Amino acid sequence: MNRTCRYQASALLAAGLIILLGAFGTAETIAAESPHGLAPASNMTFMPHLPGLRNKTYRNHFGKSKNLSEAIVLRQSTIKDGHATVPAAGLFYISETSGDAQPFHRDPFLVLGEHTYLVDLMPTKRAIKDFTVKRGEKRFVADTGYRMWFDYATDHYDKPYAELALISPSGGWPLEFPIATVFPGREAVTQLQNEQGHVGQLKDFYLDNEYYYGAMKMKARRIDFDTAEFDSVEFPAISEAVFSMHRPIVLDVRQEDFRFYFDKRIYAFRRPDGFLVRVTNFSGSEVIAEKMVKPITGQGYKSLAKEKDKYHLTIDELNMRIEIMVHPSFMKHSDLVPWSTGKSHGFQKGELNFVIYRELMTVKDGQPWPLDPRYTVRLEPHMMTGMLQRLIIENAQPLTFSSDSPSHTGPVKYSDVWNRPAFKVVATDFDADVVKNLYLRDYFGMRTDNMIFWPGEGRENIDFFVGSSPVLEPIIEDTFLTRLADSSFGTVVEESHFTSYPKVVSDSSFFEPDHTAPFVPRLKGLMRKFARNRKKERLISAESVFIRGSYVDYRNNRIVIPPAGLCYSSRNARNIRTLAGESFFMLGKKAYLAEFSSTTFVRKNVHLDFWKNQPMGDGNLMYWQDELLGVRNKALRFTGHKYLDDRPVAELSLMKYSGNRWGAHFLLAQGLDPQGDNRYHLPEIFAEGATYIIPEYIGSNYAKIKEFGTPSIESIRFTYKKPKAKTLGVGETAKLGPFTLACTGIDKAAMTVSLTISDASGAIVAQKNLGPLNDDMKALLPQHQIAARAMQLAHADVQAEWDINEPFKGDKAKLYLFTGIQLLERDTPFEFDNRFMVRPDVCGHCYQFNEILLDNPEAIILDADNPVYEGPKRKDGTPLFRIVIDHFDGERIHAWHIETDYKDEIEKTDNLAFRPRNNVDVLVGVTGTIEGFLRLSMLPRLGFMEYWRTSAKAPHTKLSGAVNTGGSAHIKR
């Protein structure tokens, strides 16, 4: 969802202080006229399971899996004087499907616990003109119930571009979209004339003022750092949807003859343009309805408003709908018998069947729920396809809970036997402004535990999320990392998928850690601090350690961490820039970036296969079809595909060497030209910053890329010594390490400064005219390395740098002096520990230094004779951390930990196995890379934490975050 360059511009920056303090957070107090688009309180309770909330996987008519889920959410509640108040739309039921549900696909859907089928829907479009939102706002988009969130603005060449999200009434949003109005558009990359391989930096930064995402379209008028103005905001909507509350009845089509359907006859008379479908009474003497109906196949255009009426006969008075489907042979159309087909649209033979839907229920967006007027229906479309993604049923009027009125029933659900409330919310034991007992009961009579985890304290709201709907991910975007880092229950260690035949990889490059790897947010010795650059911008720098691809070699009684499996990582809040006085941590010590060396890596005629195999059956995808973009730089991955009106859309991912994904998926399609008369719009060319893709052919399982370019960083120069500010006039000198720096000329008109560096004998060893710091040069700073170096004079391990923000102070030049500079060069042994290799990573937008990785070029073996392995060592020979295997029986790892030396004490994590495991994959510390890994497993981890809370491991009383567990224990040396 989030762009890699700012791994925690909103969520992590907010969560960081909370993590450091060991607190879980307090309730949000967002004053708003409506809770639409807002999340529950940051300390709301999450419980993943309740029997009355289903989480199932079914298949539709074409054999495609649909993951269905339900949840109940309460948000934006407040408590005062023993009364809990919930605003209208604050309590809602949500049913969600993976992807979307479309007419003519027999897509299953859950409606208040009932297994139903989407039969029809009425798509519309919402178009708003002249819309403005300020940075940090979640502003309503007219009266649609949607909010536009201006998440953050960053810059290139000091020019702004923004990341925004369109938030649905439920709080869900598909992605953040980048947009700008000051850079060349994507089409301009077709004018580039790059050779293949490493080429120079691109001077231009490519980003459009229009954003297209299938059925969604945004056109910006002006984007600056604080305000985003749009000419138009367009996105899909659904006015009504029709569900069949029963499984459809399937009958063979007998041409020129009839089939009995209960007490009715259904005829099919063949015509040149379809079938004349006729429904009569039992004897055939009375025609009830007839219509020309075309058979349905898999092409998506049939759901167009002007087309879909040709493919069904709906008889309202009989509450039935008749479609003719091609080749759904008996039971194969049913989710009772999972199946998939071998042809592109699932048709192998020309058999025809009637598919008869009955017990039809029509629901309308913004109108009362048909079975309970206390609740209102919201239909949320998939933003790319415009088809149904979520059904929301929300309270129409505000609710109040108190000791005298402790409960409220949910909407009435459909049933063949007994229409009854789908759930009941109960809140009791109010004490002034807190509540101490809160639970949810489903229609089976089953209830949750008390959702006030610490009843002694109570809670100042009754917000909760019960169920496993994926909408939870965007809803808790701002707080998920705080939740996963909560140390109240100790280090939560999920069970690994244990097998005696583990996956074995020869190299862990581009892989992520096991999704069940334990997460330790804090370990003393790994640094995480805020610092300010020369512009006084507040940035966070942090270190982390992660292990990936490890396994137990049970034949040889050992644990193996393959090459690139043990990684030390250091990052800051976005990219790290020169000429800005920005710092990062290097093995626990603050370092300052002096210079960087970057290139553009270009590949042409790249073939991508969509072929993912899981040979071990453990859910781990083997990505041998990845196309490398420079050695250990990035890899292009064909992640998935979909159809928009039968045009294939390829989802490509740019994978970083660390295993973390850069930005969001790249969506490429052909024939969906934004200027054409299509229902959906996607650009044929991708360009964002300095990364671009020009496709030649996009298919459903194959893509040929004509040209692809992305940044690569080759080296950085840094120093542990803080640069010193110095002003020099003409003829003045200053000591620069073992050298002498002299200012030999200043030309304010030309905006240049002349400097020399002399050795101890007085001989000039380097000289340079810095600048000119004119408008043309400023337009390339600080990202373009040629422009940046024009402001620097470097020699040996020293450097003088001109202050580009305040170049002169009176008649003198303002400089920054660097000494003790060290070089970190890609794919070279680390200077103080050749067991580790240097792997710098780049900002994918703008060539700046983004992350430094140190990893093992050779496999690491841990066994009975070698139970300890030391991490990368500093100049004094001390390791940053140690891996310690405490109990390993040759096949299962029962206990292990990581420890550091911090202020003459040994700091240890909890046991990182707890239950027997078959790997030592782990995530320690909080950086953008760690955050990216956690996003991939957010819901399972949160669900496991709930299981952990109710297990024997759970504490009886609340633990202070400072006491022990999620951070570290310590032993006096």
Side-chain angles (χ1 to χ4, degrees):
M1 291 180 191
N2 297 333
R3 323 309 289 188
T4 303
C5 277
R6 61 96 198 180
Y7 71 85
Q8 75 276 60
S10 57
L12 198 48
L13 282 174
L17 288 175
I18 299 173
I19 295 172
L20 287 172
L21 294 174
F24 184 70
T26 58
E28 296 175 0
T29 56
I30 301 176
E33 62 276 22
S34 167
H36 283 148
L38 297 179
S42 60
N43 63 347
M44 66 92 177
T45 303
F46 168 60
M47 289 189 173
H49 302 299
L50 189 64
L53 298 174
R54 305 178 70 184
N55 196 347
K56 305 288 289 185
T57 299
Y58 296 116
R59 293 178 184 267
N60 68 5
H61 171 80
F62 301 111
K64 185 176 182 179
S65 294
K66 295 289 182 177
N67 301 317
L68 309 180
S69 59
E70 297 179 299
I72 298 168
V73 186
L74 196 149
R75 60 185 172 185
Q76 301 297 307
S77 65
T78 57
I79 301 177
K80 187 174 182 180
D81 299 331
H83 290 75
T85 302
V86 181
L91 172 64
F92 64 92
Y93 159 87
I94 182 169
S95 177
E96 185 168 7
T97 182
S98 58
D100 59 20
Q102 304 186 25
F104 308 128
H105 283 209
R106 198 205 54 83
D107 278 327
F109 214 88
L110 298 176
V111 178
L112 293 173
E114 297 296 314
H115 180 182
T116 70
Y117 301 87
L118 179 73
V119 170
D120 202 355
L121 53 80
M122 295 293 292
T124 62
K125 180 84 74 173
R126 285 171 173 155
I128 292 86
K129 304 292 184 183
D130 301 322
F131 178 76
T132 301
V133 60
K134 295 185 180 299
R135 181 167 55 89
E137 275 190 330
K138 294 182 178 179
R139 187 185 174 199
F140 275 118
V141 183
D143 59 352
T144 63
Y146 285 74
R147 293 176 186 262
M148 183 76 78
W149 178 26
F150 188 168
D151 184 4
Y152 79 104
T154 187
D155 71 287
H156 185 78
Y157 298 149
D158 287 332
K159 297 176 182 178
Y161 67 94
E163 294 280 350
L164 299 101
L166 185 66
I167 305 176
S168 66
S170 68
W173 41 280
L175 77 171
E176 287 179 279
F177 59 90
I179 199 162
T181 53
V182 292
F183 302 111
R186 67 175 69 88
E187 296 294 334
V189 300
T190 59
Q191 306 303 314
L192 295 173
Q193 296 181 346
N194 291 323
E195 298 295 328
Q196 185 159 275
H198 288 280
V199 300
Q201 289 186 354
L202 305 180
K203 283 188 177 181
D204 282 326
F205 185 95
Y206 300 94
L207 194 58
D208 270 14
N209 70 328
E210 294 182 318
Y211 184 80
Y212 298 96
Y213 184 69
M216 185 174 76
K217 181 169 61 175
M218 311 288 174
K219 184 176 182 179
R221 178 189 306 140
R222 183 176 66 89
I223 301 292
D224 60 31
F225 290 103
D226 298 308
T227 307
E229 296 180 6
F230 290 86
D231 282 333
S232 61
V233 175
E234 297 182 18
F235 55 93
I238 299 172
S239 60
E240 69 177 53
V242 181
F243 296 94
S244 171
M245 306 305 290
H246 279 282
R247 192 179 301 277
I249 291 176
V250 178
L251 303 173
D252 292 339
V253 173
R254 296 181 181 175
Q255 300 182 35
E256 315 304 319
D257 202 346
F258 67 88
R259 295 298 309 269
F260 277 115
Y261 169 74
F262 295 105
D263 61 344
K264 304 292 185 295
R265 293 187 183 192
I266 304 178
Y267 290 83
F269 301 104
R270 188 171 183 85
R271 297 289 185 267
D273 53 350
F275 288 88
L276 177 63
V277 176
R278 177 180 297 162
V279 179
T280 72
N281 60 5
F282 183 80
S283 64
S285 61
E286 178 187 351
V287 176
I288 299 173
E290 67 178 13
K291 182 183 176 183
M292 286 294 303
V293 176
K294 289 186 175 183
I296 297 171
T297 52
Q299 287 74 25
Y301 76 91
K302 295 176 176 61
S303 63
L304 284 165
K306 63 182 180 180
E307 294 287 335
K308 65 179 183 177
D309 191 57
K310 303 173 184 177
Y311 295 94
H312 69 93
L313 168 59
T314 298
I315 309 174
D316 293 331
E317 56 270 26
L318 296 181
N319 200 16
M320 65 182 289
R321 174 185 171 111
I322 302 171
E323 298 173 359
I324 298 178
M325 303 288 284
V326 178
H327 184 59
S329 57
F330 180 66
M331 291 298 288
K332 279 194 173 180
H333 79 291
S334 171
D335 45 67
L336 294 178
V337 182
W339 69 292
S340 59
T341 59
K343 298 296 179 67
S344 58
H345 288 292
F347 303 110
Q348 299 174 19
K349 296 181 288 184
E351 296 178 358
L352 299 174
N353 293 86
F354 289 125
V355 178
I356 306 168
Y357 296 99
R358 53 214 170 101
E359 289 298 326
L360 304 180
M361 179 184 287
T362 300
V363 297
K364 298 183 178 182
D365 184 65
Q367 298 299 311
W369 172 242
L371 301 178
D372 193 338
R374 299 176 304 149
Y375 284 83
T376 302
V377 173
R378 299 284 173 185
L379 301 171
E380 294 187 358
H382 189 286
M383 282 294 144
M384 176 175 280
T385 66
M387 301 300 170
L388 184 64
Q389 184 176 16
R390 303 185 192 99
L391 167 68
I392 311 296
I393 305 175
E394 61 189 24
N395 62 306
Q397 300 297 326
L399 308 175
T400 300
F401 295 82
S402 66
S403 298
D404 296 329
S405 179
S407 65
H408 181 80
T409 56
V412 173
K413 70 186 298 291
Y414 171 89
S415 172
D416 288 329
V417 179
W418 172 30
N419 290 356
R420 59 196 185 278
F423 59 85
K424 178 188 285 189
V425 181
V426 180
T428 62
D429 297 339
F430 287 91
D431 184 2
D433 294 340
V434 299
V435 66
K436 298 185 176 182
N437 190 27
L438 173 68
Y439 63 87
L440 178 70
R441 190 181 297 278
D442 64 22
Y443 55 86
F444 290 128
M446 304 292 287
R447 53 157 285 183
T448 65
D449 293 337
N450 183 6
M451 291 190 282
I452 309 301
F453 289 164
W454 316 112
E457 297 179 11
R459 203 172 76 213
E460 66 277 18
N461 62 71
I462 58 172
D463 290 11
F464 60 78
F465 191 110
V466 179
S468 297
S469 173
V471 79
L472 178 67
E473 295 188 27
I475 279 180
I476 63 170
E477 166 68 17
D478 289 340
T479 60
F480 87 92
L481 212 140
T482 308
R483 290 175 171 274
L484 291 177
D486 177 25
S487 58
S488 297
F489 312 118
T491 299
V492 176
V493 183
E494 299 182 52
E495 296 178 87
S496 66
H497 303 291
F498 191 85
T499 171
S500 294
Y501 300 91
K503 67 179 187 299
V504 177
V505 295
S506 58
D507 191 296
S508 293
S509 302
F510 303 101
F511 274 72
E512 68 256 14
D514 191 306
H515 288 187
T516 68
F519 169 45
V520 181
R522 296 175 296 147
L523 178 61
K524 292 179 180 179
L526 294 180
M527 305 302 293
R528 177 184 172 81
K529 290 186 177 181
F530 289 97
R532 294 188 184 273
N533 61 14
R534 292 175 194 163
K535 289 184 176 181
K536 306 304 180 184
E537 295 171 317
R538 193 166 180 259
L539 302 172
I540 190 171
S541 298
E543 298 178 295
S544 65
V545 174
F546 59 92
I547 300 176
R548 54 184 176 174
S550 63
Y551 60 93
V552 171
D553 178 5
Y554 71 97
R555 296 179 185 274
N556 297 301
N557 299 322
R558 62 182 189 171
I559 303 165
V560 179
I561 301 176
L566 173 59
C567 297
Y568 161 83
S569 166
S570 178
R571 297 181 60 168
N572 80 3
R574 46 162 171 76
N575 48 60
I576 306 169
R577 302 179 179 183
T578 57
L579 304 177
E582 295 189 350
S583 61
F584 61 101
F585 285 106
M586 187 65 195
L587 295 179
K589 190 175 179 181
K590 183 178 282 189
Y592 300 85
L593 182 64
E595 191 180 74
F596 68 99
S597 176
S598 296
T599 62
T600 305
F601 191 85
V602 176
R603 281 200 60 182
K604 298 187 178 184
N605 299 319
V606 178
H607 299 271
L608 287 175
D609 292 345
F610 180 63
W611 184 61
K612 291 184 291 189
N613 198 6
Q614 301 175 24
M616 306 305 296
D618 59 1
N620 290 278
L621 305 179
M622 309 303 290
Y623 293 114
W624 47 63
Q625 85 279 22
D626 286 358
E627 289 293 332
L628 296 182
L629 306 168
V631 178
R632 296 182 181 87
N633 174 29
K634 298 185 184 71
L636 189 59
R637 178 173 298 169
F638 200 147
T639 307
H641 76 276
K642 60 183 61 175
Y643 289 99
L644 291 178
D645 281 347
D646 269 39
R647 297 283 186 178
V649 179
E651 297 180 10
L652 308 183
S653 294
L654 191 57
M655 304 305 300
K656 300 168 67 176
Y657 174 74
S658 65
N660 206 357
R661 180 180 294 118
W662 177 79
H665 292 307
F666 304 155
L667 299 170
L668 296 177
Q670 294 174 316
L672 296 176
D673 189 336
Q675 308 308 320
D677 185 21
N678 298 310
R679 173 163 51 163
Y680 303 116
H681 302 294
L682 279 173
E684 294 193 5
I685 295 172
F686 173 87
E688 188 175 324
T691 294
Y692 66 93
I693 302 177
I694 304 174
E696 183 172 320
Y697 171 77
I698 299 296
S700 61
N701 54 21
Y702 165 68
K704 183 178 181 182
I705 306 302
K706 183 178 180 180
E707 185 173 325
F708 183 27
T710 191
S712 173
I713 194 164
E714 307 308 313
S715 65
I716 65 166
R717 297 174 74 237
F718 75 98
T719 178
Y720 284 120
K721 300 177 181 179
K722 185 175 182 178
K724 296 181 179 180
K726 185 72 175 178
T727 56
L728 290 181
V730 177
E732 292 183 341
T733 63
K735 188 166 181 59
L736 186 60
F739 304 95
T740 300
L741 176 71
C743 178
T744 59
I746 295 177
D747 188 337
K748 284 190 173 182
M751 293 296 289
T752 61
V753 172
S754 300
L755 301 177
T756 64
I757 296 177
S758 304
D759 61 16
S761 68
I764 296 176
V765 294
Q767 59 184 345
K768 189 173 185 179
N769 292 330
L770 304 189
L773 190 55
N774 53 27
D775 290 342
D776 291 340
M777 192 68 77
K778 287 180 180 178
L780 298 175
L781 292 174
Q783 283 87 352
H784 201 277
Q785 66 185 6
I786 295 176
R789 288 175 183 173
M791 307 298 142
Q792 300 168 329
L793 172 59
H795 174 72
D797 66 344
V798 299
Q799 176 177 291
E801 179 176 287
W802 198 8
D803 188 342
I804 62 173
N805 300 312
E806 189 182 347
F808 301 108
K809 194 169 185 179
D811 292 330
K812 297 184 179 183
K814 189 174 179 183
L815 306 170
Y816 286 94
L817 309 184
F818 292 73
T819 58
I821 294 175
Q822 302 177 42
L823 174 67
L824 290 177
E825 193 172 7
R826 174 184 293 280
D827 301 333
T828 61
F830 181 54
E831 180 179 5
F832 304 119
D833 191 342
N834 60 13
R835 299 174 305 151
F836 289 85
M837 300 291 282
V838 175
R839 319 288 193 192
D841 204 355
V842 67
C843 168
H845 295 97
C846 59
Y847 301 96
Q848 297 291 279
F849 173 47
N850 181 244
E851 178 179 22
I852 190 68
L853 287 170
L854 300 179
D855 69 6
N856 55 307
E858 304 293 337
I860 297 170
I861 305 300
L862 297 163
D863 55 23
D865 297 326
N866 302 282
V868 178
Y869 187 84
E870 295 184 335
K873 297 179 180 178
R874 293 162 282 212
K875 187 175 181 179
D876 61 4
T878 60
L880 181 66
F881 62 88
R882 285 181 290 273
I883 300 170
V884 182
I885 306 300
D886 299 302
H887 183 193
F888 172 53
D889 64 10
E891 185 177 21
R892 296 176 297 176
I893 304 163
H894 297 272
W896 76 285
H897 69 273
I898 291 179
E899 63 185 34
T900 60
D901 295 325
Y902 183 74
K903 294 184 178 180
D904 297 325
E905 295 180 346
I906 298 177
E907 302 288 338
K908 296 172 120 179
T909 67
D910 286 346
N911 176 13
L912 299 178
F914 183 66
R915 292 181 173 87
R917 295 182 63 82
N918 67 347
N919 64 67
V920 290
D921 284 15
V922 71
L923 309 169
V924 184
V926 177
T927 62
T929 300
I930 298 296
E931 182 190 358
F933 293 146
L934 291 173
R935 287 180 188 279
L936 299 173
S937 56
M938 184 195 308
L939 287 181
R941 285 178 182 275
L942 288 172
F944 191 83
M945 286 180 70
E946 163 61 16
Y947 161 76
W948 185 268
R949 184 188 68 80
T950 58
S951 72
K953 177 74 174 180
H956 297 290
T957 59
K958 186 173 184 178
L959 299 176
S960 167
V963 173
N964 70 350
T965 56
S968 54
H970 63 265
I971 302 171
K972 195 73 175 178
R973 290 184 75 87

